[in-house]
Structure formats: C-alpha cells, structure tokens
C-alpha cells in the first residue's frame, strides 16, 4: 500500500457514513488530533506502538469495518515507510472535548462553599446577638433589684410630696390640679369651694385619679406615700388593689373603694362628705 492510501481510504469510509471526527472522538474517547493524524498519516503525531493499533481498531469498530483487515492495512502502510518514529513522550491523555463541564463543576463547588460560609456567618452573628441581649437583660435585672426605679407606666414626679418613711417622692400632677406639700403632713386648708383629696397607699399598687375630667395621676403608688389633689367638682379614683388605699376627702376619712386584692373604682363628690361610699370592681 502506497503512502497516503490507508489514511485516504479510512477517511473515505468515514465520509460515506456521514460521520464526523467529533462523533468518533466522543464514542471512542480518542482525541480528534489523533484521528486527524491517522487520516493524514502523520505518524509522528501519534504515540506509536500498540496505541496506534488500538486507535485504528477502535475507529474500524465504530465505522463497522473489519477490524483485523484495517489493522493489517495500517501495519502495511507503516511498513512502507523507511522508518517509523518512536514516540518517547508520556502516555497520551485523552482530554474531553467539553472543557465547560469542568468549569461548571468548579462553579458549583465555589457556590457551595460561599453558601456554607454565608449560612455559618449568619448563625454566628445571631448567636452573638442573643448573647449580648441576654447580658443586657441580666444587667437590667440586677440594676432594678439593687435600686428602686420608676415603672414604665408611672409618669415622672412633679408637684406632690410624700413625707412618709422619711422620704419625699414627687408624683406627676396635671397643671393646676394638685397642691404642693413640702414639709407638712396635711394640705393647706382649702377654700370652701375646693375639694381636697388625700390618698395614702398601704402597699404598692397601680392608681389612676381624674379631677374634674383632668387626669392628675396615672402610675404606681408606693407603700406609705401620701398624695394630695384638688378639684372643684368631683374626683374619680381607680385602683388595681382597692383595699390598700386610705382616702380622706376634705379631712374626712372615707371607706375603702373595694375589697383587698381586687380592683376598685369610685367617683367622689361633695355628697361623700356626708357619708362614706365604696366603689365597685
């Protein structure tokens, strides 16, 4: 067989079957550069020896040719040459013709690492925030037990003074609604047309007082505190624990506005100066 006959014959058989080199490469895992070298009889581009015969046998099998005859024709074509170069490099590495697959795998791995790092960072930040919140809560609890603090529902003290227990606590009073008592234990004698209300808490409780439709107190009264208020027409007193309040109207002691441990509410007018009345729940 003359030079060029084997490669041309193999190429003609491939083209008659409308088969591309890429299709053969995908099926046999032989790089297209080796297939081209066989068809062009560029033997120095092949690894040589049994590798070449294996390539030729695989191509013949894919094209449906007689494998032994095709290998024999290859041997004859190589034998016609004065010498056959021996390839001394490393064994050929059959690389896939789809390098994008490796890039996709690498991208998936990178995305998985980034996702894991992001999730871990969020968990760490949430854990630190919980630790800080717990520390602040403990510090706030310690501060509240160490020194008395004004509750959230009690307004800032303003005008009223409570001399009981040797301490004077000011409680908020609407402008013009309550009178000041600095050093005395009883209010200054009012005019005949003014109603004076004195309230003392036996123990800590929530109290709301309205004087002539004006809110003059809405907060927590502590045990032993005295509070004084003025009104022209009436008072409305509401307490969470009605039984702990001691009420005096214009110096006259009134009955409790409700039983101990229960909420109570009462409206005080000038009629209460003639007799005591208790409030309902």
């Amino acid at each position: 067989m003359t030079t060029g006959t084997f490669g041309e014959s193999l190429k003609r058989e491939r083209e008659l079957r409308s088969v591309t080199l890429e299709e053969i490469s995908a099926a046999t895992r032989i790089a297209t550069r080796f297939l081209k070298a066989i068809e062009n009889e560029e033997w120095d581009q092949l690894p040589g020896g049994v590798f070449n015969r294996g390539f030729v046998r695989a191509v013949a099998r894919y094209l449906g040719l007689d494998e032994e005859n095709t290998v024999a024709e290859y041997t004859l074509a190589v034998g016609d040459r004065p010498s056959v170069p021996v390839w001394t490099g490393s064994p050929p590495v059959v690389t896939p013709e789809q390098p994008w697959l490796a890039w996709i795998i690498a991208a998936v791995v990178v995305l998985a690492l980034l996702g894991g790092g992001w999730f871990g960072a969020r968990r760490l930040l949430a854990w630190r925030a919980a630790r800080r919140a717990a520390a602040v809560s403990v510090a706030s609890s310690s501060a509240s037990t160490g020194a008395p603090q004004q509750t959230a529902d009690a307004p800032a003290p303003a005008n009223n003074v409570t001399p009981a227990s040797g301490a004077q606590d000011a409680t908020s009073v609407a402008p013009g609604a309550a009178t000041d008592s600095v050093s005395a234990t009883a209010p200054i004698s009012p005019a005949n047309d003014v109603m004076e209300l004195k309230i003392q808490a036996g123990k800590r409780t929530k109290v709301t007082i309205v004087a002539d439709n004006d809110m003059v107190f809405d907060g927590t009264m502590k045990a032993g505190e005295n509070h004084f208020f003025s009104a022209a027409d009436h008072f409305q007193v509401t307490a969470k624990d009605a039984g702990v309040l001691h009420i005096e109207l214009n110096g006259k002691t009134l009955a409790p506005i409700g039983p101990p441990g229960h909420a109570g509410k009462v409206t005080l007018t000038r009629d209460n100066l003639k007799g005591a009345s208790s409030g309902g729940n």
Side-chain angles (χ1 to χ4, degrees):
M1 181 178 293
T2 59
T3 301
T5 304
F6 172 76
E8 292 177 358
S9 175
L10 192 63
K11 181 177 181 180
R12 182 170 58 255
E13 293 292 341
R14 176 179 62 79
E15 292 176 345
L16 287 175
R17 291 165 175 77
S18 300
V19 176
T20 64
L21 294 177
E22 287 73 16
E23 292 175 340
I24 298 176
S25 175
T28 62
R29 309 302 295 172
I30 301 174
T32 53
R33 67 177 184 275
F34 292 150
L35 298 176
K36 291 180 181 180
I38 292 174
E39 290 186 353
N40 297 330
E41 295 190 11
E42 297 174 348
W43 311 122
D44 57 341
Q45 302 297 322
L46 298 172
V50 295
F51 291 105
N52 294 5
R53 293 186 182 89
F55 291 167
V56 172
R57 188 181 299 277
V59 173
R61 184 184 306 115
Y62 183 82
L63 295 177
L65 303 175
D66 185 278
E67 299 178 20
E68 298 302 330
N69 288 340
T70 304
V71 172
E73 292 176 0
Y74 160 74
T75 303
L76 182 62
V78 173
D80 289 343
R81 294 174 59 85
S83 61
V84 178
V86 178
W87 188 70
T88 58
S90 302
V93 178
V94 180
T95 58
E97 296 298 324
Q98 298 174 338
W100 51 266
L101 182 60
W103 286 103
I104 291 178
I105 295 175
V108 170
V109 173
V110 171
L111 290 176
L113 293 176
L114 292 177
W118 177 79
F119 180 75
R122 288 199 61 183
R123 291 291 300 273
L124 179 60
L125 291 176
W127 177 78
R128 288 182 176 177
R131 288 288 300 275
R132 287 196 296 267
V136 171
S137 177
V138 171
S140 299
S141 299
S142 300
S144 63
T145 56
Q149 293 183 353
Q150 198 171 25
T151 57
D153 55 355
N159 295 326
N160 293 317
V161 179
T162 58
S165 302
Q168 295 186 354
D169 297 328
T171 55
S172 63
V173 180
T179 58
D180 294 336
S181 177
V182 179
S183 60
T185 58
I188 301 175
S189 298
N192 293 331
D193 59 344
V194 177
M195 298 175 61
E196 291 291 338
L197 177 66
K198 173 184 176 182
I199 295 182
Q200 183 181 57
K203 66 177 184 179
R204 186 185 184 96
T205 187
K206 176 72 165 57
V207 179
T208 301
I209 301 175
V210 177
D212 296 333
N213 300 322
D214 292 328
M215 179 73 69
V216 295
F217 187 90
D218 183 13
T220 301
M221 288 189 179
K222 300 178 182 179
E225 286 184 350
N226 290 327
H227 296 265
F228 301 97
F229 306 95
S230 299
D233 183 67
H234 68 277
F235 291 102
Q236 190 178 72
V237 181
T238 305
K240 186 175 182 181
D241 189 349
V244 303
L245 294 185
H246 304 283
I247 302 176
E248 293 183 11
L249 184 61
N250 283 12
K252 182 176 181 179
T253 301
L254 304 182
I257 66 173
H262 295 272
K265 180 178 181 181
V266 67
T267 300
L268 303 177
T269 64
R270 298 184 186 278
D271 293 337
N272 294 100
L273 296 175
K274 302 176 182 179
S277 62
S278 59
N281 291 343

